Amino acid sequence: MENKVRNSGVELLKIIGIMLIVISHIVQTLASNLSSNSSGFYLNIYHSTTNVTTFIIIFLSHFGYLGNSIFFTCSAWFLVNHTKTNYKKILYILADVFIISILWLIPMLFVFKSKLGLRNIITSLMPTFFGNNWYITTYIIFCFIYPILNAFFDKINQRTHLLLALVSFVIFILLGTVYGIFGINALLIWSSVYIAISYLQKYHKKAIESKKFNILLLLASIFGFIFLLLAVNIIGLKIKAIGNRVQRFNNLSNIFFWLIAFCSLNLFKRIKWHSKKINYVSSLSLLVYLIHENILFRNKIRPLIWDLLISRFGGNYVLIWIGIFALTLFLA
């Protein structure tokens, strides 16, 4: 079972994960919601570019799936040792989602009135059912699946477990990274990663916790991802048909995201310390996610804030504003 006193090393990693997610969402708003507003600003993060600032922003746009991979990996590592679904935790999550959704809806009804739209109102009243935050909906479903998987893993031998882990990982992660096959969804990807994590923890726990191994694999994964992104961008400048594929690997299957998340967890778990402040901030990660990624806030307020910033200060210092915007949202 997971320790009641949480390791602040892992909690610090979760804080980093939520910051990566916030940055990614801010970049997505900047790149997709402003062309129709008064600033007229438009940032194309979907095509190859020779502009260094634009390429950095393209790189930042990938942080969301990396942050999500970190969060799930941290959860999966501890869920492997659980035999029952934590219904109390699920109820708390559902309550948080609903309350925050309503708290956003009420002022929005007064501000935007008829412009808000019936669809936004209905989805805000039933946020989890309509998947307003895909991670939350998928996580709740997965909470009912992992006890079944754990029971199944206890009944199969090591060889069968290894074969299952390899096959699912190849199909949903390796091939998913390259081809995006079968319309892979988050639940299938998570399940394949979970099977692999379960196998490694059950049979090779000491081996995978090697500091040297994790540092080398982490650095290789980071540079591998950067190289891949650079290669696609450069090839896209030369070959027109590839020019719009710079976001091709910005998906949850990306093997580099999972390797970075897994190695980071192994390294941060080695930091044996306890900080009430770090643990408290980490405990607010769900609220940070729900508040800044609320469907009304992301569709109505974030574009208005960006429009105001660009209209007032221009787009020359957009990287600085991304940092300030992200930090403000996280602290607010």
Side-chain angles (χ1 to χ4, degrees):
M1 297 293 288
E2 185 177 354
N3 294 332
K4 292 183 179 180
V5 179
R6 293 177 178 270
N7 181 356
S8 295
V10 176
E11 300 307 305
L12 178 59
L13 179 60
K14 290 181 180 179
I15 294 174
I16 294 173
I18 194 63
M19 279 299 301
L20 293 175
I21 292 171
V22 172
I23 291 172
S24 171
H25 289 161
I26 288 173
V27 169
Q28 290 172 15
T29 301
L30 174 65
S32 60
N33 291 86
L34 300 185
S35 59
S36 61
N37 291 328
S38 61
S39 67
F41 183 83
Y42 177 70
L43 179 66
N44 191 340
I45 64 170
Y46 304 99
H47 285 76
S48 297
T49 181
T50 57
N51 186 284
V52 176
T53 298
T54 302
F55 182 79
I56 292 174
I57 293 174
I58 290 173
F59 176 72
L60 296 178
S61 71
H62 289 70
F63 280 10
Y65 282 120
L66 174 57
N68 287 317
S69 299
I70 289 174
F71 259 92
F72 179 74
T73 301
C74 291
S75 297
W77 181 262
F78 297 107
L79 290 178
V80 167
N81 296 317
H82 288 223
T83 57
K84 296 181 180 180
T85 297
N86 188 337
Y87 294 101
K88 185 177 180 180
K89 182 177 181 179
I90 292 175
L91 289 175
Y92 277 129
I93 292 175
L94 290 173
D96 284 338
V97 173
F98 179 74
I99 291 171
I100 291 175
S101 184
I102 295 301
L103 289 177
W104 270 121
L105 176 61
I106 293 173
M108 292 290 190
L109 286 172
F110 287 99
V111 174
F112 293 98
K113 298 179 181 179
S114 60
K115 294 181 180 180
L116 195 60
L118 181 61
R119 181 177 180 179
N120 284 325
I121 295 174
I122 294 175
T123 55
S124 295
L125 292 173
M126 295 181 286
T128 306
F129 180 81
F130 284 99
N132 290 359
N133 303 109
W134 72 265
Y135 187 98
I136 301 298
T137 302
T138 307
Y139 180 78
I140 290 174
I141 296 173
F142 188 78
C143 283
F144 293 97
I145 295 176
Y146 77 78
I148 300 174
L149 291 175
N150 290 346
F152 176 68
F153 298 151
D154 288 337
K155 293 182 178 180
I156 60 177
N157 57 35
Q158 181 178 353
R159 183 177 180 181
T160 303
H161 199 160
L162 175 60
L163 181 62
L164 183 62
L166 289 175
V167 171
S168 61
F169 197 81
V170 167
I171 293 175
F172 298 115
I173 303 301
L174 289 180
L175 294 181
T177 300
V178 178
Y179 300 108
I181 58 172
F182 303 144
I184 296 173
N185 63 35
L187 196 59
L188 290 174
I189 295 170
W190 280 9
S191 296
S192 66
V193 171
Y194 188 77
I195 294 170
I197 289 177
S198 174
Y199 175 81
L200 292 172
Q201 185 182 130
K202 194 170 184 178
Y203 299 107
H204 300 287
K205 187 173 182 179
K206 291 185 178 180
I208 61 175
E209 290 183 346
S210 165
K211 183 179 180 180
K212 182 178 180 181
F213 169 79
N214 282 288
I215 290 176
L216 291 176
L217 185 56
L218 175 62
L219 292 176
S221 300
I222 292 173
F223 286 115
F225 169 64
I226 295 175
F227 176 80
L228 178 65
L229 192 59
L230 278 170
V232 174
N233 185 71
I234 293 172
I235 293 173
L237 293 173
K238 305 292 184 179
I239 305 175
K240 189 175 181 180
I242 310 296
N244 63 345
R245 305 304 296 275
V246 76
Q247 293 284 344
R248 173 64 185 80
F249 301 101
N250 190 8
N251 59 70
L252 195 59
S253 287
N254 193 313
I255 188 173
F256 292 112
F257 295 160
W258 290 110
L259 290 177
I260 292 171
F262 185 69
C263 293
S264 297
L265 174 62
N266 287 331
L267 291 171
F268 275 81
K269 282 198 291 95
R270 298 175 63 89
I271 307 174
K272 303 296 183 180
W273 64 301
H274 177 70
S275 169
K276 290 184 178 179
K277 292 182 179 179
I278 291 295
N279 290 4
Y280 176 71
V281 173
S282 177
S283 70
L284 300 178
S285 295
L286 175 63
L287 297 181
V288 174
Y289 176 73
L290 292 175
I291 291 170
H292 94 279
E293 190 58 6
N294 172 269
I295 188 172
L296 299 180
F297 180 74
R298 72 172 179 250
N299 291 339
K300 299 292 184 180
I301 303 300
R302 284 210 314 247
L304 289 178
I305 294 175
W306 264 125
D307 189 51
L308 177 64
L309 291 174
I310 298 298
S311 297
R312 177 67 178 83
F313 302 102
N316 293 331
Y317 303 100
V318 67
L319 283 176
I320 296 176
W321 284 114
I322 289 173
I324 293 174
F325 199 168
L327 185 61
T328 301
L329 277 181
F330 185 80
L331 296 176

